[in-house]
């Protein structure tokens, strides 16, 4: 698969082997700048393994991953995040004993370009850096409708609010690619509709590319511009939502045959 000038994030020949199990086999796709791109497939298709490879939690067995021409394959998760690729998880992973505000401040450590000595002596640069981090955190509390919970422990929030906080924690790092791993899991129908609007607004306002794994087909079809379908670790279709909805191979993968 050629990178192409319009591919912001490019994945080519991605494979992941765990011992004798080939969990992902030859996945390739490109995500355009400001595109909302979904990966779907039955349970066990390898979707989360692809996410883990892109976000640096796994080192792929083979394949290339590039963001605007810069190689990401083999980098650790913190190094990938510093390049502007951040993610949420299927299960919410917050610092539940910290406050909502503290969760957003901790997430900004890579923006605090200060030394240990600067912190010890509270230099002017250190104070300015802290103030900017606080302003970014408060901005995202407002954007996500969480300002009233700023001083609450994150673990005491309703589940839907925890999901919003996890996305806010990604956004406060000023990412270029936002990866959402089953963000609708556990949400009620109204929260899912709000999530769909939120994903579009984040893309439109902040110029993000969004990479999405989701089982809720209403959300996927409503928000995605292109969809990659996986089965048994391999790609079986890559197209616009209307074409995916009518693709016989996709229908077979989800519904089986008589």
């Amino acid at each position: 698969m050629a990178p192409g000038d319009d591919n912001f994030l490019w994945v080519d020949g991605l494979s992941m082997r765990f011992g004798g199990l080939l969990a992902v086999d030859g996945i390739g796709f490109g995500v355009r700048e400001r595109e909302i791109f979904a990966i779907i497939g039955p349970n066990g298709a390898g979707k989360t393994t692809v996410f883990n490879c892109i976000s640096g939690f796994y080192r792929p067995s083979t394949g290339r991953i590039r963001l605007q021409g810069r190689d990401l394959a083999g980098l650790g998760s913190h190094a990938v995040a510093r390049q502007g690729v951040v993610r949420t998880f299927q299960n919410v992973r917050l610092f539940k004993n910290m406050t909502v505000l503290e969760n957003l401040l901790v997430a900004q450590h890579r923006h605090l370009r200060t030394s240990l000595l600067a912190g010890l002596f509270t230099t002017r640069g250190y104070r300015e850096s802290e103030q900017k981090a606080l302003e970014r955190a408060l901005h995202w509390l407002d954007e996500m409708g969480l300002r009233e919970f700023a001083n609450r422990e994150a673990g005491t929030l309703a589940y839907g609010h925890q999901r919003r906080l996890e996305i806010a924690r990604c956004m406060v790092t000023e990412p270029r690619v936002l990866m959402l791993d089953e963000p609708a899991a556990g949400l009620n129908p109204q929260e899912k509709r709000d999530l769909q609007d939120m994903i579009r607004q984040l893309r439109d306002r902040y110029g993000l590319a969004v990479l999405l794994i989701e089982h809720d087909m209403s959300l996927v079809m409503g928000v995605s511009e292109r969809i990659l379908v996986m089965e048994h670790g391999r790609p079986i279709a890559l197209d616009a939502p209307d074409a995916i909805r009518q693709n016989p191979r996709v229908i077979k993968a989800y519904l089986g045959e008589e």
Side-chain angles (χ1 to χ4, degrees):
M1 178 180 178
D5 292 336
D6 61 344
N7 289 330
F8 186 64
L9 176 69
W10 176 62
V11 177
D12 182 50
L14 186 68
S15 297
M16 186 70 210
R17 183 179 293 278
F18 299 98
L21 173 65
L22 187 59
V24 170
D25 183 12
I27 292 293
F29 60 90
V31 180
R32 300 164 188 145
E33 196 167 5
R34 300 173 64 95
E35 182 176 25
I36 301 174
F37 186 101
I39 303 176
I40 66 172
N43 287 331
K47 306 180 298 295
T48 296
T49 300
V50 171
F51 252 43
N52 286 339
C53 290
I54 294 172
S55 57
F57 285 85
Y58 292 162
R59 179 186 290 270
S61 302
T62 62
R64 290 178 289 177
I65 304 167
R66 293 182 181 176
L67 178 69
Q68 286 190 310
R70 179 168 294 184
D71 289 328
L72 299 184
L75 295 181
S77 58
H78 288 88
V80 172
R82 282 194 294 271
Q83 297 302 319
V85 180
V86 297
R87 65 170 295 181
T88 65
F89 293 86
Q90 292 180 23
N91 301 311
V92 175
R93 297 188 184 182
L94 299 172
F95 296 109
K96 294 192 176 182
N97 294 325
M98 289 185 175
T99 68
V100 169
L101 179 59
E102 287 169 343
N103 267 268
L104 298 192
L105 293 175
V106 168
Q108 296 182 71
H109 64 88
R110 75 181 178 91
H111 286 283
L112 301 179
R113 303 183 187 280
T114 56
S115 67
L116 176 61
L117 286 176
L120 288 173
F121 293 103
T122 53
T123 63
R124 178 180 177 182
Y126 180 83
R127 292 194 302 272
E128 289 177 350
S129 183
E130 278 198 321
Q131 181 61 33
K132 288 178 181 177
L134 178 60
E135 289 171 359
R136 275 192 294 264
L138 293 175
H139 168 79
W140 281 105
L141 290 182
D142 288 335
E143 284 284 284
M144 295 294 177
L146 297 172
R147 184 69 171 261
E148 64 183 293
F149 307 117
N151 295 315
R152 289 253 306 266
E153 287 189 359
T156 69
L157 296 183
Y159 187 75
H161 287 147
Q162 289 190 32
R163 282 286 186 189
R164 283 179 169 263
L165 177 57
E166 191 176 34
I167 294 174
R169 193 172 63 177
C170 289
M171 292 303 302
V172 80
T173 68
E174 301 178 348
R176 295 187 287 168
V177 179
L178 176 63
M179 301 175 64
L180 302 175
D181 191 351
E182 298 193 27
L187 301 185
N188 64 42
Q190 182 58 53
E191 288 171 334
K192 289 178 182 179
R193 288 190 289 270
D194 292 342
L195 174 64
Q196 183 170 314
D197 292 339
M198 180 198 305
I199 292 170
R200 285 203 197 95
Q201 289 169 7
L202 291 176
R203 188 275 306 275
D204 293 343
R205 292 179 186 175
Y206 299 97
L208 298 171
V210 179
L211 188 56
L212 171 73
I213 292 175
E214 185 52 65
H215 283 291
D216 188 299
M217 287 300 101
S218 177
L219 174 64
V220 169
M221 295 296 174
V223 77
S224 305
E225 290 158 318
R226 286 189 301 150
I227 301 171
L228 169 68
V229 188
M230 293 179 60
E231 184 183 28
H232 304 308
R234 296 179 177 178
I236 62 172
L238 171 56
D239 216 325
D242 286 345
I244 291 294
R245 189 183 286 113
Q246 301 172 37
N247 186 303
R249 292 190 67 189
V250 176
I251 295 170
K252 176 184 174 183
Y254 272 94
L255 302 179
E257 292 181 315
E258 294 184 1

